[in-house]
Amino acid sequence: MLDSVKIQRRQSEIRQALAELVAKDAPTEDETRSMDEMDREYRSNETRYRAALIAEDDERREAGEELETRSDREWAELMGKFELRQAAVHLDEGTAMTGQTKEVVDELRAKGGYQGVPVPLEALETRAGETVAAGTPDPIRTRPIIERLFANSVAGLMGGQAVNVGIGELEYPVATSKVTAGWTADELGDVPPPTEYATIDRPLKPDHNLGVQMSISRKAMKQSGAGLELAIRRDMSGAISEELDKAVFQADGTAGTPLGLFPGAATYGITETAVGAAAQWSVFRAQVTEFMLGNAANGPGSVRLLVRPEVWDALDDQVLTGTGITEWDRLTSNMGAVHMTNNALAAPAGGATSAIMTTNAGGVPPFYMGLWGAVDLIRDNITKAASGQLLLTAIMTADITVSRSVQTRIMTDIQ
């Protein structure tokens, strides 16, 4: 117990005792002596109480700094011990979850409504050092599951920032007006008139739900054991990442999808340029120049470029006369980063493709991906009941918005 609390309790006891003695009309000598002693003790305790508060304030401040970091550290440790296998078995057989997995699920349920078992996004990450348990007697040794191939995620590589939203909506006010400065014309002249400072709101809304469905056979449940957890986690993570990448750049805002950068260029105010020429370093250099003229970038080193593999194929085949340097070499040596994707950008049509450039100006990312809460893992034990399969549905809510449109430029019709 804190010293200040102990002193407060003692002060209350003294006040109660003094109240009883003062109420007497003719106190005895012993009672009078007792009142004097309690009065001295009360005054002394007041000094001790103030000293205890000062000392405990420093202790609270030190403990608070530790608690601020401890909560994140403890949550990360819990995520590292979350077992997706327990969630699958709980949905399939009704087995009660235990340990850190139960603790995480209870915590998520307390902060949001879920139809199935809530699974944190961190639990879908691939964890280093995880292996399939060995030593089980089995005449046939089953190796770890070989999963599907997914496209690498490029939304984060292009500077996008994932924002986790608990409930409700998240809004980003963006300045749209230009405040100008000017000189007085003469000694008594006025400065230029005021310029209205206007903003536009760029909200993230929980209107779009992304789902992943998996049908797990009874054989897979019995045969793979702990390895099944790793396979499901990687499969879900890959499917969600691939679809989010496609949505960030290609989603047209219909059929439940958010509005991506390419279809929403006009809505977001993103500059879109039809190149109409063969892919060369000079084509991309012209767009970097426009970035610098718009104060969005200090140079090509702060600009990221996303192209399809066909652009690399074309540029790497163009060798400068008398040198061993290709157009691709010139591009990658000047740009801050060049990334390739066959998923986030649409396939070439009529021999023409598209590309996109982004930059982080003033520490602000070019676009945001809003993710609401955790992945909601729901079990369907009816549809596949005849074959004993476990049908899992993972649903997450996500949205996309652009911060400053000048931080993004789109190029189309690149031959």
Side-chain angles (χ1 to χ4, degrees), residues 95-107:
T95 305
M97 290 178 286
T98 59
Q100 285 83 355
T101 302
K102 182 180 184 301
E103 187 175 347
V104 172
V105 170
D106 291 343
E107 180 74 15

Side-chain angles (χ1 to χ4, degrees), residues 79-101:
M79 290 301 101
K81 297 175 182 178
F82 186 93
E83 296 181 359
L84 193 61
R85 177 171 50 87
Q86 283 198 41
V89 175
H90 171 74
L91 291 174
D92 185 40
E93 304 173 1
T95 305
M97 290 178 286
T98 59
Q100 285 83 355
T101 302

